[in-house]
Amino acid sequence: MNVLGIETSCDETAAAVVVDGTKMLSSIVSSQVEVHHPYGGVVPELASRKHIENIISVVDKALSTAGIDQKEIDAVAATQGPGLAGALLVGFSFAKAYAYALGVSFAGVNHLEGHVNSVFLESDPPPFPFVALLVSGGHTGLYYVKSHTEMTLLGQTRDDAAGEAFDKVAKMLDLGYPGGTVISNLSKKGDPGKINFPRPFLDKNGCDFSFSGLKTAVNRYIQEHSDKYKDEQNDIAAGFQEAVVDVLSIKLITTAKRQAADHVALVGGVAANERLRDRVKKEAAAQGLTLHIPSINLCGDNAAMIAAIGYHYLKEGRRSDMNSDVYSRVHI
Ligand code: KG4
Ligand code: ZN
């Protein structure tokens, strides 16, 4: 089954064609970084307007790259939520109209389930059940994954998401938006042990996270060293990143052990972080766990993961009707 996936939950306009939830024929992502960069974060109305400008050409490119004609699309899947309502509405409404015009099935899908399913687009996907850590700009959560569409939330952040913390620290250092890649690049030139920032929640057995205290500690350090922090920004970035990486990697591994899972997955935009990928690889190997991390292009928001989860919704008979609406918040 050829599924056209459409994703517009935040600041990426994306479309992809995926066969049977696993074989990616195309994945086109049009980034809006340049639009939002001057504002230090995503401006919702600008994101919606840009999606409207981009959506048709992105979908056309997804089809031409896949080498297929509209008539060969068997179903359309689009992100229904969570995300920015105005941004979601563009992709979701477009997808409904597209499916209606082609006379094919339509599924509105959960973005977070999409991220978890990104590992099934890789060559050696995990068997069920497995434990997944989803780390993105809007969410940080640990899931016990029983099937493509059934996952139990074991714990999540009580305040900022990990990616949001990266973005906010980058803003404090005047490094612009998005912060994850900038912080990760600066960290390579810094000493992760020079400034010791707090590791929140490491001593507790729970699966919840909290990054606001760490963010405040970085802010306090910058205030207290206002005369010289610019010279130290590589060490600040490296020290902050190390604290986040410590918390995320230890929580993922201890949770997997507690759940007696043999396979673990790391997904979402922050899973593109090299230091985090390396650490989780080492810790998983040391504990005899098999780790699954999607390639970098499948970590951040993309429509291939939406097409993949859409295939499973439709296999379960979960078609959405033309009256369905988007939702901005949800937990799974
Ligand atoms: O999954 P995603 O593309 O969008 C959401 O669903 O939120 O994640 C975006 C987040 C941003 O906060 C961005 O700063 C972060 O992922 N990110 C990174 C890296 N690349 C992107 N964080 C740390 N290191 C990176 N290399
Ligand atoms: Zn996402």
Side-chain angles (χ1 to χ4, degrees), residues 7 9 111 115 136 269 299-301 305:
E7 152 65 35
S9 67
H111 181 85
H115 273 299
S136 71
C299 289
D301 287 346
M305 67 185 195

Side-chain angles (χ1 to χ4, degrees), residues 171-202:
K171 201 169 178 182
M172 287 174 206
L173 292 169
D174 285 328
L175 299 169
Y177 173 86
T181 36
V182 191
I183 296 279
S184 134
N185 288 336
L186 287 188
S187 299
K188 287 179 195 151
K189 296 178 265 173
D191 175 357
K194 186 133 176 249
I195 309 165
N196 198 22
F197 289 120
R199 268 73 173 150
F201 278 82
L202 268 191

